[in-house]
Amino acid sequence: MRVPEHVAIIMDGNGRWAQARGLARLAGHEAGAESVREIARACRESGVRALTLYSFSTENWSRPGDEVAGLMALLARFLVQERREILDHGIRLNAIGQTDRLPAPVRAALTELMTASRHNQQMVLTLALSYGGRAEIVEAARKLARKAAAGRLRPDQIDEASFAAELSTAGLPEPDLLIRTSGELRLSNFLLWQLAYAELYVTDVPWPDFRRPQLEAAFQQFGGRERRFGKTGAQIAEGR
Ligand code: IPE
Ligand code: IPE
Ligand code: MG
């Protein structure tokens, strides 16, 4: 089976999963952390090279304070508990987003594990934290404008490759497959530039119930898709 090189996931539906069980939303986030463990492991074992998880958006800062605090505590705990798994299995931890907005203990745990795992090559696990696609694009434009203003770049030198090089995902391949759990048909400001040609897969299964069998179903469907990149089906069939 053809496995995607880079899988990006919008992990949605934790709150609804919990509410349907009469539990607090935070219980849904905790169950969702179990899915993160299982899916990261399954991706690595399947030969996926890059996994990017939308963990907290810039917009998510507007949630009730206790939910945000609970999510941040969960994140800090996750980084401690997953340390061995990450280091023992050759995973390089990476983060994108405005990580300077994260609470200091989370930032410290994140930086430490990113540094400790920096030479690992099996799979890169990127957590999108306080991430917003528009903010990322604006920041890239700002960096290019600064270079131009300093006389180090001519505007006509700006092309797709040099623009992408200023994004926080520079160096990563573009996602081949975007999975969104819990049924919403939107991007919610995730990887707006990078998802230009990703295959989209939306399932009604909420994130806490999205485990290995559900991932395999997504890969199965991905494997049967014809990615044409604007060409005709005949051209693809002939390898042109
Ligand atoms: C995704 O689940 C987790 C985060 C956005 C942090 P939600 O918390 O959005 O769950 P729903 O969409 O309310 O069910
Ligand atoms: C997107 O989910 C963000 C994450 C999964 C971290 P949301 O639940 O925040 O998205 P909207 O608000 O329904 O679009
Ligand atoms: Mg949601």
Side-chain angles (χ1 to χ4, degrees):
M1 188 174 69
R2 187 164 51 97
V3 166
E5 183 183 5
H6 183 176
V7 180
I9 308 182
I10 301 176
M11 309 184 290
D12 197 18
N14 293 350
R16 279 164 285 170
W17 180 92
Q19 275 156 356
R21 284 161 182 74
L23 302 170
R25 291 179 58 86
L26 207 52
H29 297 312
E30 278 164 11
E34 282 305 313
S35 293
V36 171
R37 287 189 184 96
E38 184 166 325
I39 294 306
R41 177 173 285 192
C43 280
R44 174 176 57 73
E45 290 172 359
S46 305
V48 168
R49 306 294 302 180
L51 172 63
T52 300
L53 301 175
Y54 203 6
S55 307
F56 193 85
S57 71
T58 46
E59 289 74 22
N60 289 149
W61 288 114
S62 316
R63 291 194 178 191
D66 57 345
E67 182 168 345
V68 172
L71 279 165
M72 291 302 146
L74 184 62
L75 182 57
R77 223 180 322 136
F78 176 85
L79 293 169
V80 172
Q81 287 170 351
E82 291 312 290
R83 185 185 169 79
R84 277 270 57 92
E85 173 82 13
I86 287 174
L87 296 179
D88 288 352
H89 291 98
I91 295 174
R92 177 164 69 83
L93 184 71
N94 180 36
I96 56 173
Q98 302 164 341
T99 50
D100 52 330
R101 291 179 72 182
L102 299 171
V106 175
R107 237 172 28 229
L110 194 61
T111 310
E112 194 280 326
L113 197 46
M114 282 169 59
T115 307
S117 66
R118 69 189 183 283
H119 297 304
N120 289 351
Q121 299 204 339
Q122 197 64 34
M123 181 177 88
V124 50
L125 170 63
T126 301
L127 302 181
L129 293 168
S130 189
Y131 175 86
R134 285 187 174 176
E136 180 188 36
I137 290 170
V138 167
E139 182 57 30
R142 200 178 282 141
K143 285 182 189 161
L144 290 168
R146 274 198 212 106
K147 284 187 190 174
R152 288 187 286 119
L153 178 73
R154 287 195 324 273
D156 61 333
Q157 286 176 313
I158 299 173
D159 57 14
E160 291 185 15
S162 60
F163 196 93
E166 302 295 348
L167 296 170
S168 62
T169 48
L172 287 174
E174 287 189 359
D176 306 289
L177 174 64
L178 171 74
I179 297 172
R180 181 164 190 151
T181 59
S182 218
E184 308 295 355
L185 300 173
R186 53 177 174 260
L187 290 178
S188 302
N189 204 12
F190 189 41
L191 299 177
L192 298 180
W193 170 283
Q194 298 87 340
L195 290 171
Y197 252 109
E199 293 297 320
L200 310 183
Y201 181 89
V202 177
T203 171
D204 285 334
V205 173
W207 178 247
D209 290 336
F210 192 89
R211 300 292 167 98
R212 202 179 277 263
Q214 288 75 22
L215 182 74
E216 278 164 11
F219 284 3
Q220 193 71 40
Q221 198 186 100
F222 173 81
R225 301 263 185 102
E226 182 179 62
R227 305 186 73 191
R228 288 193 290 276
F229 298 101
K231 296 183 181 179
T232 67
Q235 285 176 298
I236 300 299
E238 290 159 20
R240 283 189 277 145

